[in-house]
Amino acid sequence: MFGEFDWLGTVTESPVMMVLVGCSVITFGIALERLYYFRKRKGDADQVFMAARDSLRRGNVSEAIAHCRNNAHPIGPVAAETMECHLSRPIDTEETLQVVLSQQKMLLERNTSMLGTMAAVAPLIGLLGTVLGIMRAFHDMALTGSAAPSVVAAGVAGSPNVVSAENS
């Protein structure tokens, strides 16, 4: 069924299909970027916590900060910044914690709003393509004066050449 369908012709002739393909490419690119980012930030938060706790129990704060900094998991930078702030400005520790948590949240959620936008807009674009196809089918029926299935199907499928072939 789909083997005979001219996908390339449909994509190049239909602006709606081109927009849908563009949305798909953008969505796929964002999904790949997010997958790469999350794999890169993968780590064991419990291991970071235990290593930092052991260093702090021995009284070696700089070693605890180094353990946190060397871990890719988001808890590492948060803990390191918080400990450094607590050493230099203990009164600002809570504010620093909130700022660093906000930064990590922004990094984790980057481009996810675009995914949400694509998920909301793509069905509407598809519906626009359907409506345009139905309008084309009615236009072709009016030109040929016939409601033959080949005329209607040509308009919905996006093949404008069928009507001109029937007129000759």
Side-chain angles (χ1 to χ4, degrees):
M1 176 176 151
F2 290 116
E4 298 173 12
F5 188 74
D6 183 19
W7 288 101
L8 186 60
T10 302
V11 170
T12 56
E13 291 177 9
S14 173
V16 174
M17 190 69 162
M18 291 177 75
V19 171
L20 280 175
V21 168
C23 288
S24 297
V25 168
I26 290 170
T27 301
F28 188 67
I30 291 172
L32 284 178
E33 186 272 332
R34 291 285 81 200
L35 178 68
Y36 173 75
Y37 178 79
F38 287 129
R39 283 191 184 261
K40 186 175 76 171
R41 296 295 301 264
K42 186 178 179 183
D44 189 6
D46 293 334
Q47 181 184 4
V48 174
F49 172 72
M50 291 169 93
R53 183 189 63 189
D54 292 342
S55 296
L56 288 174
R57 283 186 179 164
R58 289 191 305 266
N60 196 344
V61 179
S62 60
E63 184 180 319
I65 292 172
H67 278 300
C68 293
R69 285 248 183 254
N70 292 334
N71 195 294
H73 194 277
I75 190 106
V78 171
E81 289 289 327
T82 305
M83 284 189 276
E84 285 177 352
C85 178
H86 187 70
L87 289 175
S88 61
R89 303 176 314 274
I91 198 162
D92 295 335
T93 302
E94 187 175 341
E95 183 179 338
T96 301
L97 176 64
Q98 293 298 324
V99 168
V100 176
L101 283 173
S102 294
Q103 289 171 345
Q104 290 299 315
K105 182 180 177 188
M106 285 174 42
L107 288 173
L108 291 170
E109 293 178 348
R110 191 178 74 207
N111 292 332
T112 55
S113 61
M114 181 67 90
L115 287 177
T117 301
M118 291 295 178
V121 169
L124 298 174
I125 295 171
L127 183 61
L128 173 66
T130 303
V131 169
L132 290 175
I134 291 171
M135 289 172 55
R136 181 184 295 166
F138 284 131
H139 179 263
D140 293 347
M141 285 185 337
L143 285 179
T144 61
S146 169
S150 62
V151 175
V152 176
V156 175
S159 313
N161 298 336
V162 173
V163 174
S164 60
E166 285 186 1
N167 286 340
S168 42

